[in-house]
């Protein structure tokens, strides 16, 4: 890559590059303007102290024991804009511990061991030594007992994708400021993004698009109707706007209840009309209605305040008189109470609050909706006519859930698993019937007496004796559950094995059995709905069940940041690979996203490929599917699937973070794949 090309890719001029490197040096060095090995390890966020020492020695060219700004700049400039050979030379020197120009087997073993530790990977000592021998034999082509730079480079040239990725990302761990060329800064991005979103909905999710259009049209109609009715009474524009917002709020008050009829939606999902309804988006719809309603409430109050301000006249009506009479009226104090409760509910339901692990705050403040509806009837007495039907359905559902949620279930085991996941294995209640991929609300009195939390069932319905759940620790409740699971059984509270269930409830993953070519993508603990589905498919294929005969091929893609997370379901994956009923039907792809092809993982990445080629098994999971140390290239991966099924109906099912969901939805539209995201 030329210097000009490097500057285009990074968005930096030569002066900006120098400025960014100097700024990064100051961040690491601190006030003494020198970097020692500990500061370098902390600054580059390296886990392994020995690895940090090796990199430090490469940067500290004069062996002074401190890195100066100029030494740091020279090293960083090679990583950012050096030639491919210069960057590969740094990787080679990292392996050449004694500096004699060659890498022997002991040096390779040592670096592999440190690389495993750097990336929090674990294998046995025997497997490490076997891995090193196989890799050394693969690279030392002249059998001289030492790997030269030419042999090392030839090995990387034989893996061009790995080499190119490593070279392209060689500077990322310096964590220089990200700069985007000015001509690419979002010109028209908002309009294009909205257009792309609408196009994706039309191609992949027309019922949802129709619902959104109907919802917008309904709000406009109600707002207009409220304004017209008030204008006919001779009111000013401010009052007309206030009553227009109030009319639209009536509609949203009904919809906010309808969107939470979980039992009704689960029943409809199992009927022939289910595929024609936007049932997968009821939670999203509920959020949209909530945001719209708070906006309308603000407009409603703002309109009245604006109207009252026009009436203020020192000779007739002072603010104290006007607002005092308003607050003393039933409409006034009930309205202020409503907006106060609504703001508390809305703020505590924001994603930024829930992402901080404050799910309990969201849960308890959302229970205020009962009080909110009571004050709404006080504020607008005839509103009961609007909510009588959906309100009755909602109360009936809540009553059924209350009764059902009082029946205890018994825990057989509660296990703290790797990566802060808790596995719950219960004796399956006789009356608990569910479909693969569905979820259930759980209450564990030993953790909290009142809180209910939703989790996907990971066991399969064919297992009549056991019910299994996997719970990731992301908030206070789930963390307490994990801590309780880590205690020895004798030290747990007497009621540790008693839980309560509410459900099951339908989810998008339940529709997989209607697809001919499903693509299942699980990110981290997002694998849980697919665990139930794959187990069910395995059992049905063994029994020659006709309900799965139409499925031509299943592509299962699992992404994890760390090795330990694969232990959750690696036994199931091995069964699917080996069982005659499924081994030709399911294609498994595994991605370890926490391990990238970069300087600190070059030899390890190649070693993993060599090991898989020689043994037929993956180094980290022992599956036949090789763990790929990177993030998936979705465009390339989906193209492979489309090429394998040029005329097939491919449907993608995803459970994981929202950011990745947007990427997948866009790529599905590109390849004419159906797309559904797990959401509950």
């Amino acid at each position: 890559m030329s210097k000009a090309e490097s500057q285009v890719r990074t968005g930096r001029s030569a002066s900006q590059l120098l400025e960014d490197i100097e700024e990064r040096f100051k961040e690491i060095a601190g006030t003494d303007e020198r970097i020692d090995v500990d500061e370098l390890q902390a600054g580059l966020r390296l886990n392994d102290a020995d690895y940090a020492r090796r990199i430090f020695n490469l940067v500290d060219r004069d062996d002074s024991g401190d890195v100066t700004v100029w030494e740091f700049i020279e090293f960083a400039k090679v990583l950012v804009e050096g030639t491919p050979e210069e960057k590969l030379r740094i990787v080679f020197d990292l392996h050449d511990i004694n500096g004699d120009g060659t890498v022997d087997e002991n040096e390779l073993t040592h670096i592999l061991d440190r690389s495993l530790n750097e990336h929090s990977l674990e294998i046995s000592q025997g497997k490490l030594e076997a891995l090193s021998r196989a890799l050394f034999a693969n690279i030392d082509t002249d059998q001289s007992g030492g790997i030269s730079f030419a042999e090392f480079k030839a090995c990387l040239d034989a893996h061009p994708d790995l080499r190119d990725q490593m070279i392209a990302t060689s500077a990322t761990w310096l964590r220089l400021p990200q700069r985007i060329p000015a001509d690419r800064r979002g010109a028209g991005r908002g309009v294009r993004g909205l257009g792309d979103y609408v196009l994706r909905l039309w191609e992949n999710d027309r019922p949802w698009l129709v619902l959104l259009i109907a919802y917008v049209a309904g709000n406009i109609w109600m707002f207009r109707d409220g304004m017209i009715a008030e204008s006919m009474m001779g009111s000013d524009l401010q009052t007309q706007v206030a009553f227009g917002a109030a009319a639209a709020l009536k509609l949203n008050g009904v919809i906010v209840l309808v969107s939470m009829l979980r039992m009704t939606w689960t029943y409809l999902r199992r009927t022939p009309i289910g595929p024609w309804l936007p049932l997968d988006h009821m939670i999203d719809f509920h959020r949209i209605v909530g945001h719209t309603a708070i906006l309308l409430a603000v407009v409603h109050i703002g309109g009245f305040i604006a109207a009252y301000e026009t009436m203020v006249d020192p000779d007739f009506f002072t603010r104290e008189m006007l607002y005092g009479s308003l607050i003393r009226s039933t409409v006034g104090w009930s309205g202020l109470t409503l907006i106060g409760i609504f703001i508390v509910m809305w703020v505590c339901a924001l994603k930024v609050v829930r992402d901080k692990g404050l799910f309990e705050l969201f849960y308890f403040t959302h229970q205020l909706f009962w009080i909110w509806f009571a004050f709404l009837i006080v504020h607008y007495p005839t509103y009961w006519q609007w909510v009588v039907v959906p309100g009755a359905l909602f109360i009936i559902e809540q009553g059924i859930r209350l009764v059902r949620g009082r029946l205890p279930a018994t825990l057989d085991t509660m296990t703290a698993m790797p990566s802060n996941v808790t596995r719950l294995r219960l004796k399956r209640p006789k009356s608990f019937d569910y479909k693969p991929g569905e979820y259930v609300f759980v209450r564990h009195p030993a953790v909290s007496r009142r809180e209910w939390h939703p989790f996907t069932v990971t066991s399969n319905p064919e297992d009549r004796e056991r019910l299994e759940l996997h719970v990731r620790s992301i908030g206070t409740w789930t963390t307490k559950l994990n801590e309780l699971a880590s205690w020895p059984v004798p030290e747990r509270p007497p009621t540790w094995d008693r839980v309560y269930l509410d459900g099951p409830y339908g989810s998008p993953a339940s529709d997989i059995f209607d697809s001919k070519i499903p693509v299942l993508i699980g990110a981290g603990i997002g694998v849980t709905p697919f665990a139930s589905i794959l187990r069910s498919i395995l059992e049905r294929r063994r029994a020659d069940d006709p309900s799965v005969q139409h499925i031509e091929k299943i592509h299962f893609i699992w992404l994890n940041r760390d090795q330990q997370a694969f232990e959750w379901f690696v036994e199931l994956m091995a069964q699917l690979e080996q069982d005659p009923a499924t081994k030709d039907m399911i294609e498994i792809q595994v991605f370890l996203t926490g391990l990238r092809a970069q300087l600190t993982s070059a030899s390890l990445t190649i070693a993993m490929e060599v090991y898989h080629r020689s043994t037929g098994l993956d180094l980290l999971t022992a599956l036949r599917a090789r763990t790929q140390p990177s993030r998936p290239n979705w465009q390339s991966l989906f193209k492979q699937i489309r090429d394998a099924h040029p005329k097939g109906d491919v449907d993608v099912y995803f459970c994981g973070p929202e950011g990745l969901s947007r990427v997948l939805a866009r790529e599905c539209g590109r390849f004419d794949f159906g797309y559904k995201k797990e959401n509950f």
Side-chain angles (χ1 to χ4, degrees):
M1 183 190 302
S2 68
K3 184 176 293 188
E5 289 172 330
S6 174
Q7 291 169 3
V8 169
R9 286 178 64 89
T10 63
R12 294 180 174 90
S13 65
S15 60
Q16 284 175 331
L17 174 60
L18 184 61
E19 179 183 333
D20 290 342
I21 294 174
E22 287 185 16
E23 185 64 31
R24 188 73 182 100
F25 175 84
K26 292 176 182 178
E27 290 175 3
I28 299 174
T31 56
D32 64 353
E33 297 186 353
R34 296 270 179 170
I35 295 178
D36 60 29
V37 65
D38 293 333
E39 288 173 329
L40 187 73
Q41 181 178 358
L44 299 185
R45 300 179 190 174
L46 298 169
N47 297 319
D48 186 81
D50 188 76
Y51 226 121
R53 168 64 65 180
R54 290 291 308 134
I55 295 174
F56 181 84
N57 291 340
L58 296 179
V59 185
D60 182 23
R61 296 189 176 186
D62 62 2
D63 296 324
S64 64
D66 288 309
V67 171
T68 65
V69 63
W70 297 113
E71 287 175 321
F72 188 81
I73 288 173
E74 288 302 311
F75 183 75
K77 287 178 71 174
V78 173
L79 293 180
V80 175
E81 58 181 14
T83 66
E85 185 163 329
E86 288 174 330
K87 295 177 180 181
L88 294 182
R89 173 62 73 172
I90 289 178
V91 180
F92 179 79
D93 290 344
L94 186 65
H95 290 69
D96 183 13
I97 297 175
N98 61 12
D100 65 355
T102 61
V103 177
D104 61 32
E105 189 172 329
N106 289 333
E107 289 175 319
L108 182 60
T109 302
H110 180 78
I111 289 296
L112 284 175
D113 180 52
R114 295 300 86 203
S115 185
L116 286 165
N117 188 58
E118 171 64 28
H119 296 283
S120 302
L121 303 176
E122 295 180 4
I123 63 174
S124 67
Q125 184 63 30
K127 186 178 285 188
L128 171 63
E129 293 172 358
L131 181 68
S132 179
R133 284 195 300 271
L135 180 60
F136 190 84
N138 184 270
I139 303 177
D140 183 23
T141 53
D142 64 1
Q143 299 181 349
S144 64
I147 299 172
S148 66
F149 176 69
E151 289 175 319
F152 184 81
K153 183 175 180 299
C155 176
L156 284 172
D157 288 342
H159 302 81
D161 292 340
L162 166 65
R163 178 201 60 204
D164 294 345
Q165 183 182 357
M166 186 179 66
I167 290 171
T169 61
S170 59
T172 56
W173 53 285
L174 287 175
R175 292 179 171 82
L176 299 178
Q178 295 296 308
R179 297 184 183 272
I180 302 174
D183 61 345
R184 293 175 56 195
R185 288 178 185 167
R189 185 177 298 168
V191 175
R192 287 199 305 271
L194 179 61
D196 291 343
Y197 178 69
V198 173
L199 181 61
R200 289 199 304 271
L201 289 184
W202 177 251
E203 293 174 343
N204 292 333
D205 213 342
R206 294 179 190 178
W208 175 225
L209 179 60
V210 170
L211 177 62
L212 289 177
I213 292 173
Y215 174 68
V216 171
N219 273 283
I220 293 173
W221 178 269
M222 291 298 296
F223 201 103
R224 170 185 172 276
D225 193 58
M227 288 190 65
I228 290 175
E230 197 61 24
S231 68
M232 294 177 65
M233 298 178 65
S235 300
D236 55 28
L237 179 61
Q238 296 93 321
T239 305
Q240 292 177 35
V241 170
F243 274 95
L249 270 169
K250 297 176 188 177
L251 176 64
N252 284 271
V254 172
I255 296 175
V256 81
L257 283 178
V258 172
S259 62
M260 285 290 97
L261 296 175
R262 294 179 186 265
M263 294 176 64
T264 302
W265 301 134
T266 299
Y267 170 77
L268 289 174
R269 183 183 292 278
R270 297 173 178 178
T271 67
I273 67 171
W276 301 96
L277 299 174
L279 303 178
D280 300 339
H281 297 281
M282 285 299 106
I283 302 298
D284 293 328
F285 193 37
H286 182 78
R287 294 191 184 106
I288 291 172
V289 174
H291 292 315
T292 304
I294 193 71
L295 175 62
L296 290 170
V298 170
V299 171
H300 177 63
I301 290 179
F304 275 118
I305 291 175
Y308 267 60
E309 286 296 311
T310 63
M311 298 169 61
V312 174
D313 187 334
D315 295 329
F316 296 98
F317 302 112
T318 65
R319 284 188 175 85
E320 290 77 8
M321 292 176 58
L322 286 170
Y323 289 107
S325 63
L326 175 64
I327 293 173
R328 288 191 295 271
S329 68
T330 301
V331 171
W333 66 258
S334 62
L336 292 174
T337 303
L338 281 169
I339 191 64
I341 294 173
F342 203 172
I343 289 173
V344 170
M345 292 171 60
W346 179 75
V347 169
C348 293
L350 292 174
K351 188 175 185 297
V352 66
V353 174
R354 291 181 285 113
D355 285 351
K356 290 183 179 295
L358 300 175
F359 181 88
E360 292 76 10
L361 181 63
F362 155 73
Y363 176 82
F364 285 117
T365 56
H366 239 56
Q367 302 309 306
L368 294 173
F369 80 91
W370 293 101
I371 301 174
W372 187 84
F373 267 102
F375 276 103
L376 186 58
I377 299 298
V378 173
H379 184 72
Y380 186 65
T382 60
Y383 189 66
W384 68 268
Q385 299 171 6
W386 283 77
V387 297
V388 61
V389 175
L393 284 173
F394 186 80
I395 291 173
I396 290 171
E397 280 202 10
Q398 293 300 306
I400 294 173
R401 295 178 66 177
L402 181 63
V403 172
R404 188 168 58 187
R406 290 183 178 274
L407 301 176
T410 303
L411 272 172
D412 282 335
T413 61
M414 182 166 57
T415 309
M417 300 185 70
S419 301
N420 294 320
V421 167
T422 308
R423 183 179 63 201
L424 305 178
R425 282 183 173 170
L426 304 83
K427 293 179 181 177
R428 179 174 169 180
K430 293 182 179 179
S431 59
F432 192 89
D433 294 319
Y434 66 101
K435 289 190 173 183
E438 293 187 333
Y439 66 96
V440 62
F441 282 86
V442 177
R443 180 169 69 89
H444 196 311
V447 179
S448 175
R449 293 175 60 85
R450 297 179 180 84
E451 293 181 43
W452 291 88
H453 293 262
F455 304 107
T456 304
V457 179
T458 52
S459 54
N460 55 296
E462 291 77 14
D463 186 346
R464 304 300 305 180
E465 302 298 324
R466 183 184 65 177
L467 192 68
E468 188 174 87
L469 307 167
H470 285 69
V471 179
R472 184 164 66 97
S473 302
I474 56 174
T476 304
W477 190 92
T478 51
T479 300
K480 287 182 179 179
L481 182 72
N482 188 260
E483 291 172 354
L484 181 59
S486 64
W487 293 357
V489 173
E491 298 179 15
R492 295 175 184 174
T495 59
W496 76 268
D497 61 345
R498 184 183 303 165
V499 295
Y500 295 85
L501 305 177
D502 173 27
Y505 296 105
S507 68
S510 307
D511 300 335
I512 286 172
F513 291 90
D514 298 326
S515 299
K516 290 184 178 180
I517 306 167
V519 179
L520 320 182
I521 303 175
I525 199 62
V527 71
T528 51
F530 307 132
S532 175
I533 288 163
L534 293 173
R535 280 173 170 159
S536 183
I537 289 174
L538 177 61
E539 294 299 326
R540 296 188 194 191
R541 293 279 293 187
R542 285 172 174 173
D544 202 23
D545 191 320
S547 65
V548 294
Q549 296 305 315
H550 68 283
I551 301 179
E552 299 174 9
K553 189 78 173 181
I554 297 174
H555 296 269
F556 175 63
I557 302 167
W558 190 7
L559 291 68
N560 270 315
R561 288 189 57 83
D562 56 77
Q563 173 194 8
Q564 288 74 25
F566 291 118
E567 295 180 21
W568 302 334
F569 299 109
V570 71
E571 184 179 345
L572 171 61
M573 300 301 111
Q575 278 185 301
L576 294 168
E577 285 187 328
Q578 298 167 14
D579 197 292
T582 54
K583 66 178 183 179
D584 295 327
M585 179 191 187
I586 297 178
E587 180 179 317
I588 299 174
Q589 295 192 58
V590 177
F591 291 86
L592 184 60
T593 59
L595 176 60
R596 306 289 188 86
Q598 56 187 20
L599 297 187
T600 56
S601 65
S603 58
L604 176 59
T605 307
I606 297 174
M608 289 172 61
E609 186 171 324
V610 170
Y611 182 88
H612 184 269
R613 191 165 59 237
S614 61
T615 66
L617 298 175
D618 182 67
L619 174 68
L620 303 178
T621 65
L623 295 174
R624 293 177 182 173
R626 184 172 70 87
T627 298
Q628 302 182 55
S630 64
R631 296 181 183 273
N633 181 327
W634 295 110
Q635 189 170 359
S636 174
L637 195 152
F638 281 5
K639 183 178 185 304
Q640 294 173 15
I641 294 174
R642 174 49 76 199
D643 289 344
H645 311 283
K647 297 181 180 180
D649 294 329
V650 178
D651 295 305
V652 174
Y653 297 83
F654 172 66
C655 186
E658 185 60 38
L660 179 53
S661 177
R662 289 192 291 268
V663 173
L664 293 175
R666 182 181 65 245
E667 295 303 325
C668 284
R670 187 194 306 270
F671 290 93
D672 195 27
F673 293 170
Y675 181 70
K676 292 193 176 186
K677 179 186 181 297
E678 197 72 7
N679 193 13
F680 56 84

